[in-house]
Amino acid sequence: MMKHDESNKLINKSEKLEDFETIRLQSHQNPTKPFRFFSSADCLSKNPIVYRRRDFFKVSLLRGHYIVHYGDESIKAIGCSLSFFSPLVPYTIKQLEQEENAGYMIFTELYYDTYFKQGIRHSPLFNKESKPIFLLDQKQEEEVKAIFLKIEQQEKSDYLFKDDLIRNLLSELMHYANTLQPAIERHYAHSSKERLHSVFNELLDRQFPVVAGQHQQLRTAGDFAETLNVHVNYLNRILKEMTGKSTSAILYERLLREAIILLKHTTWSVSEIAYSLGFKDVSHFNHFFRKHAHATPSHFRN
């Protein structure tokens, strides 16, 4: 069972974009602002921002040596790279050697779509098939840095219509990226089994913390296998090799942990918890919890 302070931290850890200013910058101004720009100084802080749900878009400009695990691939970026990330694809960035970080920006879909007729998800940069990571030469780096600088300056300004300018600059940056060739060098230091395991964990993490009244999207081993585009038996075999546990066992452990957190640290009813965790009804949830926790949800809570 998780310690009380650890469980409480998890359940209260919101993944909404508006909380970044409060948590990251210790500021309580404009808590619902749908756009954030983080400068090089922010990126080099000893307290890095942790993305868990990634329910927003991100654009970053990095210089150094990185491995970007994007979906089911690992892409090596050496030098200056411009990257676009959407909520559709899980990703992590492993820093091997950092030379400079020009910054990055995060924003909601609504922030962009309310200004342009065509939604951002229609952009080639943000579909599931593309790998929108671009290695820049010196001239391209200077041009992209100039756009980043303009966005940063506008974000800090008091100009009444600065968001219109930022969205135009963001659109310009996206159009510029569409003229570039994406990075094609794949990094094979991680085996396909390790990548599958890593992406599975990413997908699993993205399911939590759950939202009240919102049914969990991926619940069964088959759901995860379909999303990962592999046969469920293959996924089960790889996870068994990597962890010693079956896919179902890993999912059951995580569901039990999240159920315990919700029972201890929320006022949700047992039926609300059952629905949010993806169970068909309360009786199935009660049976699952009693089998794995050796107590009913109501008895455990009391």
Side-chain angles (χ1 to χ4, degrees), residues 259-279:
I260 289 173
I261 291 171
L262 293 172
L263 287 167
K264 290 180 65 176
H265 301 293
T266 74
T267 58
W268 299 2
S269 68
V270 173
S271 61
E272 287 176 323
I273 293 174
Y275 179 79
S276 298
L277 289 176
F279 289 88

Short mmCIF file of all heavy atoms in Angstrom, two decimals, residues 259-279:
data_model
loop_
_atom_site.label_atom_id
_atom_site.label_comp_id
_atom_site.label_asym_id
_atom_site.label_seq_id
_atom_site.Cartn_x
_atom_site.Cartn_y
_atom_site.Cartn_z
N ALA A 259 -7.30 2.66 -7.47
CA ALA A 259 -8.54 2.53 -6.71
C ALA A 259 -8.31 2.89 -5.25
O ALA A 259 -9.13 3.59 -4.63
CB ALA A 259 -9.07 1.10 -6.83
N ILE A 260 -7.20 2.43 -4.68
CA ILE A 260 -6.87 2.74 -3.29
C ILE A 260 -6.69 4.24 -3.10
O ILE A 260 -7.17 4.84 -2.13
CB ILE A 260 -5.60 1.97 -2.86
CG1 ILE A 260 -5.92 0.47 -2.73
CG2 ILE A 260 -5.05 2.52 -1.56
CD1 ILE A 260 -4.70 -0.40 -2.49
N ILE A 261 -6.00 4.87 -4.04
CA ILE A 261 -5.78 6.32 -3.96
C ILE A 261 -7.12 7.06 -3.97
O ILE A 261 -7.35 7.97 -3.17
CB ILE A 261 -4.90 6.79 -5.13
CG1 ILE A 261 -3.47 6.26 -4.96
CG2 ILE A 261 -4.87 8.32 -5.21
CD1 ILE A 261 -2.59 6.50 -6.17
N LEU A 262 -8.00 6.67 -4.88
CA LEU A 262 -9.30 7.34 -5.00
C LEU A 262 -10.16 7.10 -3.77
O LEU A 262 -10.88 8.01 -3.32
CB LEU A 262 -10.02 6.86 -6.26
CG LEU A 262 -9.37 7.25 -7.59
CD1 LEU A 262 -10.06 6.54 -8.76
CD2 LEU A 262 -9.41 8.75 -7.80
N LEU A 263 -10.13 5.91 -3.22
CA LEU A 263 -10.91 5.61 -2.02
C LEU A 263 -10.40 6.40 -0.82
O LEU A 263 -11.18 6.85 0.03
CB LEU A 263 -10.85 4.11 -1.72
CG LEU A 263 -11.66 3.20 -2.65
CD1 LEU A 263 -11.26 1.74 -2.44
CD2 LEU A 263 -13.16 3.39 -2.43
N LYS A 264 -9.10 6.58 -0.73
CA LYS A 264 -8.51 7.26 0.42
C LYS A 264 -8.58 8.77 0.33
O LYS A 264 -8.73 9.46 1.34
CB LYS A 264 -7.04 6.83 0.58
CG LYS A 264 -6.85 5.40 1.04
CD LYS A 264 -5.37 5.07 1.18
CE LYS A 264 -4.72 5.88 2.28
NZ LYS A 264 -3.30 5.50 2.49
N HIS A 265 -8.46 9.31 -0.89
CA HIS A 265 -8.23 10.74 -1.00
C HIS A 265 -9.27 11.51 -1.80
O HIS A 265 -9.05 12.65 -2.19
CB HIS A 265 -6.85 11.00 -1.60
CG HIS A 265 -5.73 10.40 -0.80
ND1 HIS A 265 -5.39 10.84 0.46
CD2 HIS A 265 -4.91 9.35 -1.06
CE1 HIS A 265 -4.39 10.12 0.93
NE2 HIS A 265 -4.08 9.21 0.03
N THR A 266 -10.39 10.89 -2.11
CA THR A 266 -11.48 11.61 -2.76
C THR A 266 -12.78 11.30 -2.05
O THR A 266 -12.87 10.38 -1.23
CB THR A 266 -11.65 11.21 -4.25
OG1 THR A 266 -12.24 9.91 -4.32
CG2 THR A 266 -10.33 11.22 -4.98
N THR A 267 -13.79 12.08 -2.36
CA THR A 267 -15.13 11.83 -1.81
C THR A 267 -16.03 11.18 -2.86
O THR A 267 -17.24 11.13 -2.70
CB THR A 267 -15.76 13.16 -1.35
OG1 THR A 267 -15.82 14.07 -2.46
CG2 THR A 267 -14.96 13.78 -0.22
N TRP A 268 -15.44 10.68 -3.94
CA TRP A 268 -16.22 10.01 -4.98
C TRP A 268 -16.91 8.79 -4.39
O TRP A 268 -16.35 8.10 -3.53
CB TRP A 268 -15.33 9.55 -6.13
CG TRP A 268 -14.61 10.64 -6.85
CD1 TRP A 268 -14.63 11.98 -6.58
CD2 TRP A 268 -13.71 10.48 -7.95
NE1 TRP A 268 -13.82 12.66 -7.44
CE2 TRP A 268 -13.24 11.77 -8.31
CE3 TRP A 268 -13.27 9.38 -8.68
CZ2 TRP A 268 -12.36 11.98 -9.35
CZ3 TRP A 268 -12.39 9.58 -9.72
CH2 TRP A 268 -11.94 10.87 -10.06
N SER A 269 -18.09 8.50 -4.89
CA SER A 269 -18.77 7.29 -4.47
C SER A 269 -18.06 6.08 -5.08
O SER A 269 -17.29 6.21 -6.04
CB SER A 269 -20.23 7.32 -4.91
OG SER A 269 -20.31 7.24 -6.34
N VAL A 270 -18.33 4.91 -4.53
CA VAL A 270 -17.72 3.68 -5.06
C VAL A 270 -18.13 3.48 -6.51
O VAL A 270 -17.32 3.05 -7.35
CB VAL A 270 -18.12 2.47 -4.19
CG1 VAL A 270 -17.62 1.17 -4.83
CG2 VAL A 270 -17.54 2.60 -2.79
N SER A 271 -19.38 3.79 -6.84
CA SER A 271 -19.84 3.63 -8.23
C SER A 271 -19.12 4.60 -9.17
O SER A 271 -18.79 4.25 -10.30
CB SER A 271 -21.35 3.85 -8.32
OG SER A 271 -21.71 5.15 -7.90
N GLU A 272 -18.84 5.83 -8.71
CA GLU A 272 -18.10 6.80 -9.53
C GLU A 272 -16.68 6.32 -9.77
O GLU A 272 -16.15 6.45 -10.88
CB GLU A 272 -18.09 8.17 -8.84
CG GLU A 272 -19.41 8.91 -8.88
CD GLU A 272 -19.36 10.21 -8.10
OE1 GLU A 272 -18.71 10.25 -7.03
OE2 GLU A 272 -19.99 11.19 -8.54
N ILE A 273 -16.07 5.77 -8.74
CA ILE A 273 -14.71 5.24 -8.89
C ILE A 273 -14.70 4.07 -9.86
O ILE A 273 -13.84 3.97 -10.74
CB ILE A 273 -14.15 4.82 -7.52
CG1 ILE A 273 -13.95 6.05 -6.63
CG2 ILE A 273 -12.82 4.06 -7.68
CD1 ILE A 273 -13.53 5.72 -5.21
N ALA A 274 -15.68 3.18 -9.71
CA ALA A 274 -15.76 2.01 -10.59
C ALA A 274 -15.89 2.43 -12.04
O ALA A 274 -15.19 1.91 -12.92
CB ALA A 274 -16.94 1.13 -10.17
N TYR A 275 -16.77 3.39 -12.31
CA TYR A 275 -16.99 3.84 -13.68
C TYR A 275 -15.73 4.50 -14.24
O TYR A 275 -15.32 4.23 -15.37
CB TYR A 275 -18.16 4.81 -13.73
CG TYR A 275 -18.43 5.35 -15.12
CD1 TYR A 275 -19.13 4.59 -16.06
CD2 TYR A 275 -17.97 6.61 -15.50
CE1 TYR A 275 -19.36 5.08 -17.34
CE2 TYR A 275 -18.20 7.11 -16.77
CZ TYR A 275 -18.90 6.34 -17.69
OH TYR A 275 -19.12 6.82 -18.95
N SER A 276 -15.10 5.37 -13.45
CA SER A 276 -13.92 6.10 -13.92
C SER A 276 -12.75 5.18 -14.20
O SER A 276 -11.90 5.49 -15.04
CB SER A 276 -13.52 7.17 -12.89
OG SER A 276 -14.55 8.12 -12.72
N LEU A 277 -12.69 4.05 -13.50
CA LEU A 277 -11.61 3.10 -13.71
C LEU A 277 -11.92 2.10 -14.82
O LEU A 277 -11.11 1.23 -15.13
CB LEU A 277 -11.30 2.35 -12.41
CG LEU A 277 -10.60 3.17 -11.32
CD1 LEU A 277 -10.44 2.35 -10.06
CD2 LEU A 277 -9.26 3.71 -11.79
N GLY A 278 -13.11 2.22 -15.42
CA GLY A 278 -13.41 1.41 -16.58
C GLY A 278 -14.22 0.15 -16.32
O GLY A 278 -14.41 -0.66 -17.24
N PHE A 279 -14.70 -0.04 -15.09
CA PHE A 279 -15.50 -1.22 -14.79
C PHE A 279 -16.93 -1.06 -15.29
O PHE A 279 -17.47 0.04 -15.30
CB PHE A 279 -15.50 -1.50 -13.28
CG PHE A 279 -14.17 -1.98 -12.76
CD1 PHE A 279 -13.21 -1.07 -12.35
CD2 PHE A 279 -13.88 -3.34 -12.71
CE1 PHE A 279 -11.97 -1.51 -11.89
CE2 PHE A 279 -12.65 -3.78 -12.26
CZ PHE A 279 -11.70 -2.87 -11.84
#
